[in-house]
Amino acid sequence: MFVLSNLYTARLMRSAATVSKTIQTEKVNFRKVQSNHNIYFKNYCNCNKMTVPTIMRVMALSITTANRAGTIIRDVMKKGNLNIVEKGKDDLQTEADRSAQRCIIASLTKEFPNIKIIGEEGGSDLNVKDDWLVKESDAEFLKQNCPEELQELKDEDFVIWVDPLDGTSEYTQGFLDHVTVLIGVAIKNCAVGGVIHQPYYENDGGMLGRTIWGLKGLGIGGFVPSYPPDNKLIITTTRSHFSPSVQAALDALAPNEVIKVGGAGFKVLQLLEGKAHAYVFPNPGCKKWDTCAPEAVLEANGGTLTDMLGDHYSYNACIEFPNKRGVLATNGKIDHCEILKKIPESVLEVMRK
């Protein structure tokens, strides 16, 4: 009995050892398969990055990054301490401006280290906390077909213009619906792609935030544009930088209605949403990061944005920042040149100076 018991025990031990060895072998095999899968997935992603045109990848990441920046802007407002700094006359900067820009530039630089990025708030600390570093791109945008003329671009062809919080004065005064996040993509001097995010846009159901994009040759997304009535002229202009030149232009155009709002991004949205026909601003008050994204989005929808003399601004990396000749934008349903012809010579002379 004792011998049989020992034999039985020995068999059990050998059986257990075999099972253990089999399990260890399976674990090794699983790790090999998993490793191979990870290598395959990594190679697939790298291959995918190489096959998806850079402009599409830049736009897709800009969409999700602008959305994240909008959340940061709301978070700063909720905390109640804006930490306002006065950069110049009527030129404020808040903690929301600084934080949103760090999020945007850190995220885009991480993915596109060789592309020039210019932000309104100057140099930014790119060492941001993990939840500010956006890694996911907008999957729906990546389903779009890239325009043929934009498929073979080099990194040096790009300049990204960032206004992390357009409408800072309005933000500090509580006009939150005027606030936008602007990411403009310029290719060889021209505004080609743009993202406009509204942190405080209220969607059906009460959820906040809306992101609109535009890419020339592709169109726009994020909402359905509309147009104002044809039997009247509605103009949107500045609410905080009014001047004799602005008044003279309005007098000459004789609009049926004038809508005064803050921020270049929000003014262009008035055109895209069918609330106004034209955006008239004969003042040297805005800069390239204010107009690059709005110009691209508006023109992707058939509109036009130029200076007050009818020339497009250049957006290369070496250009001066101020838009010294003001802004004129039209929605594509009225004649841009006809509006230009009505601007008084006295106003144009101020712009030429």
Side-chain angles (χ1 to χ4, degrees):
M1 191 70 160
F2 177 74
V3 174
L4 288 174
S5 178
N6 281 345
L7 287 171
Y8 182 69
T9 301
R11 286 176 181 173
L12 284 176
M13 291 177 67
R14 284 196 298 271
S15 178
T18 301
V19 170
S20 177
K21 186 176 181 180
T22 301
I23 290 173
Q24 292 302 319
T25 301
E26 290 300 322
K27 284 183 177 179
V28 170
N29 290 338
F30 175 76
R31 282 195 292 268
K32 286 181 179 178
V33 171
Q34 188 177 43
S35 176
N36 290 337
H37 172 76
N38 290 338
I39 293 171
Y40 170 80
F41 184 73
K42 184 176 181 180
N43 290 337
Y44 171 80
C45 290
N46 289 335
C47 179
N48 195 42
K49 284 183 179 180
M50 289 189 292
T51 56
V52 176
T54 303
I55 184 68
M56 302 300 284
R57 292 171 50 224
V58 168
M59 288 290 296
L61 185 59
S62 295
I63 291 169
T64 52
T65 302
N67 187 64
R68 182 68 184 93
T71 303
I72 291 171
I73 289 168
R74 292 194 298 269
D75 289 344
V76 171
M77 179 60 76
K78 285 177 187 175
K79 291 176 182 176
N81 185 5
L82 300 185
N83 289 323
I84 299 172
V85 175
E86 192 167 346
K87 297 188 292 183
K89 184 181 179 183
D90 299 323
D91 192 5
L92 304 179
Q93 181 194 83
T94 70
E95 183 62 37
D97 295 80
R98 296 185 290 272
S99 298
Q101 175 159 306
R102 288 181 64 201
C103 163
I104 295 168
I105 294 186
S107 300
L108 294 177
T109 299
K110 177 80 172 176
E111 186 67 16
F112 307 102
N114 298 319
I115 289 180
K116 179 71 173 179
I117 304 174
I118 301 173
E120 178 179 3
E121 311 310 333
S124 294
D125 180 6
L126 302 185
N127 294 314
V128 300
K129 46 191 177 181
D130 287 344
D131 69 332
W132 283 13
L133 196 62
V134 181
K135 300 174 184 177
E136 298 295 324
S137 297
D138 187 79
E140 288 302 311
F141 180 83
L142 289 174
K143 294 177 183 178
Q144 308 286 330
N145 292 320
C146 180
E148 187 176 349
E149 64 274 17
L150 300 177
Q151 290 180 7
E152 302 293 337
L153 297 172
K154 300 175 183 178
D155 286 358
E156 55 264 32
D157 295 330
F158 288 78
V159 180
I160 300 175
W161 294 87
V162 176
D163 189 342
L165 198 166
D166 186 40
T168 301
S169 293
E170 285 70 26
Y171 180 68
T172 62
Q173 296 168 28
F175 295 97
L176 300 180
D177 55 328
H178 296 213
V179 172
T180 59
V181 177
L182 305 176
I183 303 177
V185 183
I187 305 295
K188 299 177 180 178
N189 294 336
C190 300
V192 170
V195 175
I196 303 175
H197 175 75
Q198 295 174 274
Y200 291 96
Y201 180 86
E202 187 170 346
N203 296 280
D204 293 339
M207 194 172 176
L208 294 179
R210 176 174 74 167
T211 305
I212 296 166
W213 58 262
L215 182 63
K216 290 183 181 179
L218 179 59
I220 68 173
F223 87 127
V224 178
S226 57
Y227 298 95
D230 295 330
N231 60 351
K232 59 170 64 175
L233 176 62
I234 306 171
I235 289 176
T236 184
T237 191
T238 180
R239 65 170 289 273
S240 56
H241 296 86
F242 216 76
S243 70
S245 292
V246 174
Q247 188 60 60
L250 293 177
D251 290 343
L253 293 170
N256 302 94
E257 183 181 349
V258 176
I259 302 173
K260 296 179 180 179
V261 299
F266 193 56
K267 291 183 185 73
V268 166
L269 285 175
Q270 305 306 297
L271 275 59
L272 291 167
E273 292 182 325
K275 296 176 181 177
H277 298 82
Y279 159 24
V280 180
F281 184 58
N283 263 358
C286 63
K287 298 181 174 66
K288 299 297 184 297
W289 43 71
D290 295 307
T291 54
C292 185
E295 178 180 329
V297 175
L298 180 63
E299 297 201 348
N301 192 53
T304 305
L305 189 149
T306 67
D307 64 21
M308 292 300 299
L309 303 178
D311 298 319
H312 280 90
Y313 281 111
S314 176
Y315 293 97
N316 67 66
C318 300
I319 201 73
E320 61 180 359
F321 297 156
N323 292 334
K324 293 183 177 180
R325 292 181 170 182
V327 176
L328 175 66
T330 52
N331 66 354
K333 294 297 183 181
I334 61 171
D335 192 321
H336 193 83
C337 292
E338 287 301 314
I339 297 293
L340 282 169
K341 290 177 183 176
K342 294 180 181 179
I343 303 299
E345 182 60 34
S346 60
V347 173
L348 299 179
E349 190 59 36
V350 172
M351 294 295 95
R352 292 189 186 100
K353 292 179 181 179

